[in-house]
């Protein structure tokens, strides 16, 4: 639904297995308004990947494909598990995003962590 709204405001879409990718226009506008959105290249919700631009999707495709597979494994429990994992990382003094096991798996599949 978010991708469809983005299309109404100049966004673009394409099918790239294993997901549908939406980018530019309203999708880019929305991502940039999220917390840390200026630094977010793309994000995944189920089999939908929302990216700022065509180039940002090219850069993050392997990483986001891991998240698609995680959604396939975890189903409706993915978002709560991801959130609770981030909270646990934060409460134990670790980085809530980079140390989240879901992100670790995605970064490992994409060649490792790119920054500290």
């Amino acid at each position: 639904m978010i991708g469809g709204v983005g299309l109404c405001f100049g966004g673009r879409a394409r099918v790239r297995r294993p997901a549908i990718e939406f980018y530019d226009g309203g999708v880019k506008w929305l991502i940039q308004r999220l917390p840390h959105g200026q630094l977010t290249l793309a994000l995944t919700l189920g089999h939908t990947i929302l990216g700022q631009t065509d180039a940002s999707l090219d850069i993050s495709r392997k990483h986001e494909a891991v998240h698609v597979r995680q959604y396939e494994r975890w189903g409706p429990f993915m978002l709560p598990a991801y959130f609770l994992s981030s909270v646990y990382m934060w409460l134990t003094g670790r980085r809530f995003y980079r140390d989240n096991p879901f992100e670790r798996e995605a970064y490992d599949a994409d060649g490792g962590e790119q920054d500290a």
Side-chain angles (χ1 to χ4, degrees), residues 48-70:
T48 302
I49 300 172
L50 305 172
Q52 288 206 36
T53 64
D54 181 42
S56 67
L57 288 169
D58 288 342
I59 293 166
S60 62
R61 188 166 287 114
K62 284 183 186 178
H63 180 100
E64 299 305 327
V66 172
H67 290 314
V68 171
R69 289 191 299 277
Q70 291 169 342

Side-chain angles (χ1 to χ4, degrees), residues 13-68:
R14 65 175 168 229
V15 176
R16 287 266 172 105
R17 292 205 179 266
I20 300 172
E21 299 177 341
F22 294 92
Y23 60 100
D24 283 338
V27 176
K28 180 178 180 179
W29 181 89
L30 174 69
I31 291 172
Q32 290 180 346
R33 272 132 192 93
L34 296 173
H36 305 288
Q38 295 292 329
L39 304 174
T40 302
L41 294 178
L43 61 95
T44 300
L45 299 169
H47 284 85
T48 302
I49 300 172
L50 305 172
Q52 288 206 36
T53 64
D54 181 42
S56 67
L57 288 169
D58 288 342
I59 293 166
S60 62
R61 188 166 287 114
K62 284 183 186 178
H63 180 100
E64 299 305 327
V66 172
H67 290 314
V68 171

